[in-house]
Amino acid sequence: MIGQAIQRVDGPLKVAGRAAYAYEHWEAGQPLYGFIVGATIGKGRIIEIDTEDAEGAPGVRMVMTHLNAPEQGIRDESIPFEYWRAQPVLTGPDIHFYGEPVALIVAETFEQARAAAELIEVEYAGGRGRFAFAEHEGEAYVPKTVNAGLPTDTSVGDFDAGFDGAAVKVDQLYTTPYEFSMPIEPNACLVAPRDEDLIVYVSSQIVDAAQTSIANTLRIDPARVHVFSPFVGGGFGSKLGIHAETILAALAARELDHPVKVAMTRQQIFQLIGMRSTSSQRVRLGAERDGRLAAIAHDVTMHTNPDVEYAEQTAATSRSLYAAPHRLTSHRLTPLDLPRGTDVRAPGEEPGLLAVESAMDELADTLGMDPVELRIRNEPTLDPERGVPYSDRHLVECLREGASRFGWEQRPATPSSRREGRWLVGYGMAVAIRVHLQGPAAARVRLEADGTAVVQTDMTDIGTGTYTILTQVAAGGLGLPADRVRIELGRSDNPTSWGSGGSWGAANSSTAVHRACATLREKLLAEAHDDARSALRGLDPADAVFSDGDVRIGGASEPLSELVARNHPGGVAAEGETRFMGDEPNYTNYSIHTYGAHFAEVGVDADTAEIRLRRMLGVFSVGRLLNPKTARSQLIGGMIWGVGAALEEEAVVDPRSGAFVNRDLAQYLVPVNADIPDVEAVVLDGYDDKANVLGAKGIGELGICGSGAAVANAVFNATGVRVRDFPITLEKLLPGLPPMDA
């Protein structure tokens, strides 16, 4: 069953509209509706807030501000992961960024709450905010660590000497903008009080983090917070933690002793959820004439919020990618009065590879060398910084397979040399690398007396296919048809996991389910071996085969349902788990990653600089595939996002207020169907026995890694113009285009 491209088991629920998302639950009865009022300045202090007219508006049941908000817990920095910490709101008059909540209106209808929000009068004392990254980049400081607890800086060999002595050098600055996750489902929740407990329906990627964070904020026992998140309409990092709408709904529900729903508008999501930090990346490559790197340095400066530090691990991208004896990486943070940075799909790798893989393309052009050959020539045998072997590295195979399938040999050797009418045509490529992470996860598998199985875990499905792959793992582990397995996800009273994020969700939860099934098999076989009523009595359990609902040993067989019903009429359950990667020797002794190679063809209009993607191919190595259909969906989704990062996505800050001026999907551009033609994702057969017992690794973020650089490099090959300030837009490209008659 594992490895088959079965259809999504939750598909019928979704197409029939019966998959309830956070804002669509009605079990608690008729709710009240909350609407968030945000600050209209980016830095300063509330002098006076007048709520009288809003409180008297039709249907309004509460107006909550910092003047009457309940006491809340504070962010405890000793809790190692941000998403489990308290997230207090409305705690005082100070304004830290534009859009920060200053009030919550709760009314009988959403329309009444929104209308009353217009009646709030706030007088501010504005402060001088720091909003422009370029103006304050010189104020950058050194963080203690970067995201995921990685070291801030690393150094191997003597970079300065290696770089100075190199025959060929690239030393360039690349900049990337603020970017947002923007899943289809807005951040939303429903909170219903039940005696001293709270029932929370929330759009969350990590149920345990949501439960703990809410409890820490409200200063109550986590056991009194019951979180339900069975379906999540996309996350991409924006729902790893809970946000203001959830805390405000919980506070209001407790105060009013009534269910309260709160959803953010799309514009509020741009201001309140956090974003990928803008970055300035200096990449230095020193190589010999044969293309072998002698020195590589990757220095990154990015924005952070002064109160909630976030350092994206952007330079860490370079640490395991290419061989070079002399190496240097660093991260610096520039405090700005903007929303905090946060994890956005492939944190670190997406912006880091956009820079590093552009620099590698520049090196290939300087050397007059094929970009594929340059990368193969710099393939390491050991992790160049950690000095440990790779668990399962097939990057060269990805490069060669991709080049063959794409027809890379037809690439224009000279930039701006191929034309089709008014179109300049170019090919580009880049590689992908993504660290494979493992976190603690537990799952319970229960066999009922009728031979059906129920899998329970608080793991979430954010559209990636968790329901489907866990069905496959359980069905394969117990020898059952898929329709005799039921998956129950996203409940805080289920066994705890790290949820969906970091590309760890599928491998973690699948391994836990696999181990639970193994424990059940052992238990049932041991009982059958000693049971005079069983057809399997006395037979060697090592020869057992679970298939089609039966258990067979040699020529003897017995229905699984009879084994269960005879000894466990009420059903029998077992749990399986994975441990944190720091407790697993393989993650210390090996460098464990996923890999890929991207190839892109673009056309650029020689008159207007309009860029059109013509086709794109990605070839990936991810260990064992759990489901090729869901895997392909994840990979091509990431590849398309990379196209957006290269050509479209850019959030623009108003330097006067700190507001994002293009805070809706009409102006914050992302690829649409017309932008994306033929995209193909190919996965090489594999099995990484160092990653886990299933040999599977995460893929959700790999597709975006390097895909933007492949497009950017294709634009250079088509035009001869190198744009290093992303995204590549018309005004940046047009002045350098060659004349049509050149």
Side-chain angles (χ1 to χ4, degrees), residues 721-734:
V721 180
R722 183 75 67 179
V723 177
R724 303 181 183 92
D725 176 30
F726 295 101
I728 303 172
T729 51
L730 303 185
E731 70 276 10
K732 300 172 187 175
L733 189 60
L734 185 60

Side-chain angles (χ1 to χ4, degrees), residues 486-701:
R486 185 173 79 252
I487 310 296
E488 296 180 357
L489 300 179
R491 298 169 59 108
S492 58
D493 55 356
N494 284 344
T496 302
S497 74
W498 266 16
S500 300
S503 290
W504 60 61
N508 285 353
S509 56
S510 294
T511 299
V513 170
H514 172 83
R515 288 174 172 161
C517 291
T519 301
L520 277 177
R521 291 197 308 268
E522 292 172 5
K523 180 178 180 62
L524 293 171
L525 288 170
E527 292 172 345
H529 182 273
D530 299 329
D531 190 347
R533 299 166 295 175
S534 175
L536 307 178
R537 183 190 182 193
L539 300 179
D540 187 355
D543 297 329
V545 175
F546 286 68
S547 179
D548 298 324
D550 294 332
V551 184
R552 296 191 300 273
I553 302 178
S557 70
E558 187 169 7
L560 181 61
S561 58
E562 292 185 12
L563 283 176
V564 176
R566 188 163 54 242
N567 295 305
H568 306 279
V572 59
E575 290 197 9
E577 63 179 20
T578 62
R579 298 188 298 175
F580 174 63
M581 57 190 290
D583 299 323
E584 291 279 5
N586 280 350
Y587 286 83
T588 299
N589 299 332
Y590 294 90
S591 184
I592 305 178
H593 295 79
T594 53
Y595 305 94
H598 296 281
F599 297 83
E601 178 185 339
V602 302
V604 179
D605 189 299
D607 290 327
T608 67
E610 174 188 347
I611 303 168
R612 285 292 173 188
L613 180 69
R614 292 186 164 196
R615 60 190 177 104
M616 197 170 188
L617 166 69
V619 178
F620 303 96
S621 173
V622 298
R624 184 185 187 187
L625 274 187
L626 299 172
N627 183 312
K629 186 183 291 288
T630 57
R632 178 181 180 275
S633 176
Q634 287 297 294
L635 290 168
I636 64 173
M639 293 168 67
I640 292 168
W641 195 331
V643 176
L647 303 180
E648 295 175 298
E649 289 197 50
E650 179 180 20
V652 179
V653 176
D654 185 336
R656 301 165 299 177
S657 66
F660 289 106
V661 295
N662 55 336
R663 54 184 182 269
D664 58 45
L665 293 178
Q667 300 177 79
Y668 180 82
L669 302 180
V670 297
V672 297
N673 286 347
D675 298 320
I676 306 299
D678 180 21
V679 176
E680 182 182 2
V682 176
V683 180
L684 303 180
D685 290 338
Y687 186 97
D688 191 339
D689 63 349
K690 305 299 187 298
N692 50 60
V693 66
L694 292 175
K697 294 184 285 192
I699 63 171
E701 292 164 295

Side-chain angles (χ1 to χ4, degrees), residues 412-461:
T414 303
S416 187
S417 62
R418 179 176 297 177
R419 302 194 180 202
E420 295 178 6
R422 63 189 296 167
W423 292 95
L424 303 167
V425 179
Y427 288 10
M429 59 79 52
V431 303
I433 184 173
R434 166 70 187 172
V435 65
H436 174 70
L437 304 172
Q438 178 173 294
R444 181 187 304 118
V445 179
R446 182 177 184 84
L447 271 170
E448 306 291 1
D450 62 0
T452 59
V454 180
V455 176
Q456 297 172 319
T457 173
D458 75 352
M459 170 67 179
T460 52
D461 190 328

Side-chain angles (χ1 to χ4, degrees), residues 163-202:
F163 187 71
D164 290 343
V168 180
K169 301 173 187 177
V170 169
D171 184 350
Q172 296 292 352
L173 190 68
Y174 305 87
T175 57
T176 61
Y178 301 104
E179 298 173 349
F180 288 88
S181 293
M182 290 298 132
I184 293 176
E185 180 198 19
N187 296 76
C189 71
L190 162 65
V191 181
R194 182 184 296 170
D195 299 324
E196 295 298 312
D197 291 2
L198 289 177
I199 314 302
V200 182
Y201 302 92
V202 62

Side-chain angles (χ1 to χ4, degrees), residues 195-281:
D195 299 324
E196 295 298 312
D197 291 2
L198 289 177
I199 314 302
V200 182
Y201 302 92
V202 62
S203 188
S204 171
Q205 293 179 235
I206 310 177
V207 166
D208 183 59
Q211 180 188 41
T212 305
S213 182
I214 293 167
N216 286 339
T217 308
L218 272 57
R219 302 193 297 185
I220 62 177
D221 185 343
R224 288 171 50 190
V225 180
H226 308 276
V227 174
F228 295 84
S229 192
F231 296 99
V232 180
F236 314 114
S238 68
K239 298 171 184 174
L240 289 169
I242 53 94
H243 299 282
E245 87 288 345
T246 302
I247 297 303
L248 289 169
L251 293 172
R254 294 186 81 197
E255 290 294 302
L256 295 170
D257 194 27
H258 195 92
V260 174
K261 280 186 176 183
V262 181
M264 290 190 190
T265 67
R266 184 63 65 179
Q267 289 197 345
Q268 287 174 335
I269 292 173
F270 275 88
Q271 298 292 163
L272 293 178
I273 299 305
M275 66 288 194
R276 193 190 302 280
S277 299
T278 189
S279 76
S280 173
Q281 304 181 50

Side-chain angles (χ1 to χ4, degrees), residues 46-341:
I46 297 173
I47 299 300
E48 183 178 356
I49 183 165
D50 184 351
T51 62
E52 183 177 356
D53 289 347
E55 289 168 344
V60 172
R61 298 281 294 275
M62 169 187 278
V63 179
M64 185 183 295
T65 71
H66 72 279
L67 298 173
N68 62 348
E71 292 266 341
Q72 299 163 64
I74 61 173
R75 295 179 67 256
D76 184 354
E77 300 290 341
S78 69
I79 297 174
F81 297 105
E82 167 70 22
Y83 303 118
W84 278 259
R85 297 171 185 163
Q87 304 292 339
V89 293
L90 301 180
T91 57
D94 292 332
I95 302 301
H96 305 90
F97 57 88
Y98 186 95
E100 181 177 9
V102 298
L104 175 74
I105 312 292
V106 181
E108 294 173 5
T109 70
F110 172 79
E111 291 77 12
Q112 288 173 333
R114 182 174 58 185
E118 298 294 330
L119 303 177
I120 297 282
E121 297 287 341
V122 184
E123 181 183 348
Y124 299 100
R128 184 176 181 181
R130 295 170 296 180
F131 306 130
F133 176 72
E135 292 179 11
H136 297 277
E137 191 173 348
E139 303 168 19
Y141 68 91
V142 184
K144 291 182 180 179
T145 62
V146 298
N147 197 28
L150 296 175
T152 301
D153 300 346
T154 61
S155 178
V156 176
D158 185 339
F159 172 77
D160 290 336
F163 187 71
D164 290 343
V168 180
K169 301 173 187 177
V170 169
D171 184 350
Q172 296 292 352
L173 190 68
Y174 305 87
T175 57
T176 61
Y178 301 104
E179 298 173 349
F180 288 88
S181 293
M182 290 298 132
I184 293 176
E185 180 198 19
N187 296 76
C189 71
L190 162 65
V191 181
R194 182 184 296 170
D195 299 324
E196 295 298 312
D197 291 2
L198 289 177
I199 314 302
V200 182
Y201 302 92
V202 62
S203 188
S204 171
Q205 293 179 235
I206 310 177
V207 166
D208 183 59
Q211 180 188 41
T212 305
S213 182
I214 293 167
N216 286 339
T217 308
L218 272 57
R219 302 193 297 185
I220 62 177
D221 185 343
R224 288 171 50 190
V225 180
H226 308 276
V227 174
F228 295 84
S229 192
F231 296 99
V232 180
F236 314 114
S238 68
K239 298 171 184 174
L240 289 169
I242 53 94
H243 299 282
E245 87 288 345
T246 302
I247 297 303
L248 289 169
L251 293 172
R254 294 186 81 197
E255 290 294 302
L256 295 170
D257 194 27
H258 195 92
V260 174
K261 280 186 176 183
V262 181
M264 290 190 190
T265 67
R266 184 63 65 179
Q267 289 197 345
Q268 287 174 335
I269 292 173
F270 275 88
Q271 298 292 163
L272 293 178
I273 299 305
M275 66 288 194
R276 193 190 302 280
S277 299
T278 189
S279 76
S280 173
Q281 304 181 50
R282 184 186 182 190
V283 180
R284 288 171 286 174
L285 305 175
E288 302 307 321
R289 294 288 177 187
D290 63 1
R292 286 183 171 82
L293 288 169
I296 179 170
H298 191 179
D299 300 299
V300 181
T301 304
M302 67 200 89
H303 115 282
T304 189
N305 178 276
D307 303 297
V308 185
E309 182 180 279
Y310 176 80
E312 188 169 2
Q313 64 273 38
T314 304
T317 301
S318 305
R319 293 175 182 172
S320 298
L321 186 52
Y322 294 118
H326 305 291
R327 318 177 65 84
L328 196 67
T329 68
S330 70
H331 299 83
R332 300 293 182 266
L333 295 179
T334 298
L336 298 178
D337 298 308
L338 297 174
R340 69 190 188 190

